[in-house]
Amino acid sequence: MTALHDLKAHLSANPAVQSEYDALEEEFALLTSLIQARTRAGLTQEALAQRMGTTQSVIARLESGRGKPSTRTLERYARATGTKLRITLEAAE
């Protein structure tokens, strides 16, 4: 059986695959930030859902990237985790 890191290294050697992976960097960064904010707040998905007035499955979908959250949802998530939402626009490279 191939180890995950070996598979990733093999696939990353393909420029097309690496390009697609790089294109998802911003999305991965957002998901990581969401999970880190919840963890720092010491909340489970269930506890966070209660604070936001939603369900644990909604939080799981949000943190997995299976949807595109609205700014309003991100603001509610930030408030519930005791963090501040900051959205910036930067010049394209």
Side-chain angles (χ1 to χ4, degrees), residues 2 4 7 10 13-14 21 23 33-34 40 49 52 54-56 58 65 71:
T2 303
L4 182 59
L7 178 60
H10 174 72
N14 180 327
Y21 184 83
S33 293
L34 291 173
R40 278 194 309 270
M52 291 178 64
T54 190
T55 63
Q56 179 274 330
V58 168
T71 303

mmCIF file of all heavy atoms in Angstrom, residues 2 4 7 10 13-14 21 23 33-34 40 49 52 54-56 58 65 71:
data_model
loop_
_atom_site.group_PDB
_atom_site.id
_atom_site.type_symbol
_atom_site.label_atom_id
_atom_site.label_comp_id
_atom_site.label_asym_id
_atom_site.label_seq_id
_atom_site.Cartn_x
_atom_site.Cartn_y
_atom_site.Cartn_z
ATOM 1 N N THR A 2 0.508 2.225 -0.773
ATOM 2 C CA THR A 2 1.271 3.472 -0.881
ATOM 3 C C THR A 2 0.916 4.400 0.270
ATOM 4 O O THR A 2 -0.258 4.625 0.561
ATOM 5 C CB THR A 2 0.949 4.178 -2.212
ATOM 6 O OG1 THR A 2 1.231 3.288 -3.282
ATOM 7 C CG2 THR A 2 1.759 5.434 -2.378
ATOM 8 N N LEU A 4 0.423 7.967 2.161
ATOM 9 C CA LEU A 4 -0.143 9.217 1.667
ATOM 10 C C LEU A 4 0.932 10.201 1.227
ATOM 11 O O LEU A 4 0.828 10.810 0.167
ATOM 12 C CB LEU A 4 -1.036 9.849 2.740
ATOM 13 C CG LEU A 4 -1.734 11.148 2.346
ATOM 14 C CD1 LEU A 4 -2.620 10.944 1.128
ATOM 15 C CD2 LEU A 4 -2.551 11.678 3.509
ATOM 16 N N LEU A 7 2.307 9.164 -2.119
ATOM 17 C CA LEU A 7 1.351 9.446 -3.186
ATOM 18 C C LEU A 7 1.353 10.936 -3.527
ATOM 19 O O LEU A 7 1.382 11.317 -4.695
ATOM 20 C CB LEU A 7 -0.052 9.000 -2.781
ATOM 21 C CG LEU A 7 -1.159 9.284 -3.791
ATOM 22 C CD1 LEU A 7 -0.887 8.577 -5.110
ATOM 23 C CD2 LEU A 7 -2.506 8.865 -3.224
ATOM 24 N N HIS A 10 4.465 11.812 -5.465
ATOM 25 C CA HIS A 10 4.343 11.302 -6.840
ATOM 26 C C HIS A 10 3.430 12.200 -7.678
ATOM 27 O O HIS A 10 3.776 12.578 -8.805
ATOM 28 C CB HIS A 10 3.813 9.866 -6.816
ATOM 29 C CG HIS A 10 3.515 9.312 -8.170
ATOM 30 N ND1 HIS A 10 4.517 8.959 -9.062
ATOM 31 C CD2 HIS A 10 2.347 9.071 -8.798
ATOM 32 C CE1 HIS A 10 3.953 8.526 -10.186
ATOM 33 N NE2 HIS A 10 2.636 8.582 -10.034
ATOM 34 N N ALA A 13 4.746 15.715 -8.628
ATOM 35 C CA ALA A 13 5.757 15.752 -9.691
ATOM 36 C C ALA A 13 5.122 16.094 -11.040
ATOM 37 O O ALA A 13 5.815 16.538 -11.958
ATOM 38 C CB ALA A 13 6.478 14.410 -9.778
ATOM 39 N N ASN A 14 3.822 15.913 -11.157
ATOM 40 C CA ASN A 14 3.098 16.248 -12.379
ATOM 41 C C ASN A 14 2.744 17.739 -12.331
ATOM 42 O O ASN A 14 1.987 18.176 -11.462
ATOM 43 C CB ASN A 14 1.830 15.395 -12.472
ATOM 44 C CG ASN A 14 1.018 15.669 -13.713
ATOM 45 O OD1 ASN A 14 0.972 16.784 -14.217
ATOM 46 N ND2 ASN A 14 0.337 14.643 -14.195
ATOM 47 N N TYR A 21 -3.398 21.958 -7.439
ATOM 48 C CA TYR A 21 -3.229 21.966 -5.987
ATOM 49 C C TYR A 21 -2.924 23.386 -5.500
ATOM 50 O O TYR A 21 -3.513 23.866 -4.530
ATOM 51 C CB TYR A 21 -2.123 21.000 -5.586
ATOM 52 C CG TYR A 21 -1.932 20.861 -4.096
ATOM 53 C CD1 TYR A 21 -2.740 20.000 -3.357
ATOM 54 C CD2 TYR A 21 -0.952 21.585 -3.424
ATOM 55 C CE1 TYR A 21 -2.581 19.863 -1.986
ATOM 56 C CE2 TYR A 21 -0.785 21.454 -2.058
ATOM 57 C CZ TYR A 21 -1.601 20.596 -1.344
ATOM 58 O OH TYR A 21 -1.439 20.471 0.013
ATOM 59 N N ALA A 23 -3.733 26.130 -6.879
ATOM 60 C CA ALA A 23 -4.904 26.981 -7.071
ATOM 61 C C ALA A 23 -5.859 26.892 -5.873
ATOM 62 O O ALA A 23 -6.654 27.810 -5.650
ATOM 63 C CB ALA A 23 -5.626 26.596 -8.359
ATOM 64 N N SER A 33 -7.800 28.138 8.968
ATOM 65 C CA SER A 33 -8.091 29.240 9.895
ATOM 66 C C SER A 33 -9.362 28.981 10.694
ATOM 67 O O SER A 33 -9.423 29.269 11.891
ATOM 68 C CB SER A 33 -8.232 30.560 9.139
ATOM 69 O OG SER A 33 -7.020 30.948 8.577
ATOM 70 N N LEU A 34 -10.379 28.460 10.033
ATOM 71 C CA LEU A 34 -11.631 28.161 10.725
ATOM 72 C C LEU A 34 -11.408 27.131 11.830
ATOM 73 O O LEU A 34 -11.819 27.339 12.980
ATOM 74 C CB LEU A 34 -12.677 27.636 9.736
ATOM 75 C CG LEU A 34 -13.229 28.622 8.719
ATOM 76 C CD1 LEU A 34 -14.129 27.907 7.718
ATOM 77 C CD2 LEU A 34 -13.969 29.754 9.404
ATOM 78 N N ARG A 40 -8.728 26.956 19.173
ATOM 79 C CA ARG A 40 -8.229 27.930 20.157
ATOM 80 C C ARG A 40 -9.317 28.332 21.147
ATOM 81 O O ARG A 40 -9.035 28.606 22.313
ATOM 82 C CB ARG A 40 -7.684 29.175 19.457
ATOM 83 C CG ARG A 40 -6.276 29.043 18.956
ATOM 84 C CD ARG A 40 -5.672 30.392 18.571
ATOM 85 N NE ARG A 40 -6.514 31.169 17.676
ATOM 86 C CZ ARG A 40 -6.478 31.124 16.339
ATOM 87 N NH1 ARG A 40 -5.603 30.337 15.746
ATOM 88 N NH2 ARG A 40 -7.264 31.867 15.613
ATOM 89 N N ALA A 49 -21.706 24.996 17.002
ATOM 90 C CA ALA A 49 -23.010 25.011 16.334
ATOM 91 C C ALA A 49 -24.070 25.612 17.253
ATOM 92 O O ALA A 49 -24.894 26.423 16.798
ATOM 93 C CB ALA A 49 -23.394 23.592 15.921
ATOM 94 N N MET A 52 -23.781 29.283 17.347
ATOM 95 C CA MET A 52 -24.183 29.907 16.084
ATOM 96 C C MET A 52 -25.655 29.675 15.749
ATOM 97 O O MET A 52 -26.164 30.228 14.784
ATOM 98 C CB MET A 52 -23.312 29.376 14.935
ATOM 99 C CG MET A 52 -21.874 29.839 14.994
ATOM 100 S SD MET A 52 -20.880 29.150 13.646
ATOM 101 C CE MET A 52 -21.654 29.873 12.193
ATOM 102 N N THR A 54 -27.009 26.710 14.873
ATOM 103 C CA THR A 54 -27.081 25.805 13.734
ATOM 104 C C THR A 54 -26.798 24.388 14.217
ATOM 105 O O THR A 54 -26.877 24.123 15.410
ATOM 106 C CB THR A 54 -26.119 26.261 12.606
ATOM 107 O OG1 THR A 54 -26.384 25.507 11.429
ATOM 108 C CG2 THR A 54 -24.661 26.150 12.989
ATOM 109 N N THR A 55 -26.475 23.503 13.309
ATOM 110 C CA THR A 55 -26.211 22.110 13.685
ATOM 111 C C THR A 55 -24.739 21.759 13.488
ATOM 112 O O THR A 55 -24.027 22.422 12.727
ATOM 113 C CB THR A 55 -27.061 21.139 12.840
ATOM 114 O OG1 THR A 55 -26.672 21.267 11.469
ATOM 115 C CG2 THR A 55 -28.541 21.427 12.994
ATOM 116 N N GLN A 56 -24.315 20.683 14.138
ATOM 117 C CA GLN A 56 -22.938 20.210 14.016
ATOM 118 C C GLN A 56 -22.622 19.842 12.577
ATOM 119 O O GLN A 56 -21.509 20.085 12.106
ATOM 120 C CB GLN A 56 -22.717 19.013 14.955
ATOM 121 C CG GLN A 56 -21.324 18.425 14.899
ATOM 122 C CD GLN A 56 -21.153 17.386 13.807
ATOM 123 O OE1 GLN A 56 -22.099 16.685 13.444
ATOM 124 N NE2 GLN A 56 -19.956 17.295 13.256
ATOM 125 N N VAL A 58 -23.654 21.227 9.882
ATOM 126 C CA VAL A 58 -23.369 22.459 9.126
ATOM 127 C C VAL A 58 -21.925 22.890 9.378
ATOM 128 O O VAL A 58 -21.204 23.261 8.442
ATOM 129 C CB VAL A 58 -24.356 23.583 9.495
ATOM 130 C CG1 VAL A 58 -23.905 24.921 8.942
ATOM 131 C CG2 VAL A 58 -25.756 23.235 9.006
ATOM 132 N N GLY A 65 -14.892 22.280 3.629
ATOM 133 C CA GLY A 65 -14.798 22.919 2.323
ATOM 134 C C GLY A 65 -15.834 22.440 1.331
ATOM 135 O O GLY A 65 -15.716 22.692 0.142
ATOM 136 N N THR A 71 -20.308 35.693 3.633
ATOM 137 C CA THR A 71 -19.625 36.579 4.564
ATOM 138 C C THR A 71 -20.366 36.604 5.900
ATOM 139 O O THR A 71 -19.746 36.605 6.960
ATOM 140 C CB THR A 71 -19.532 37.998 3.979
ATOM 141 O OG1 THR A 71 -18.872 37.933 2.716
ATOM 142 C CG2 THR A 71 -18.773 38.938 4.891
#
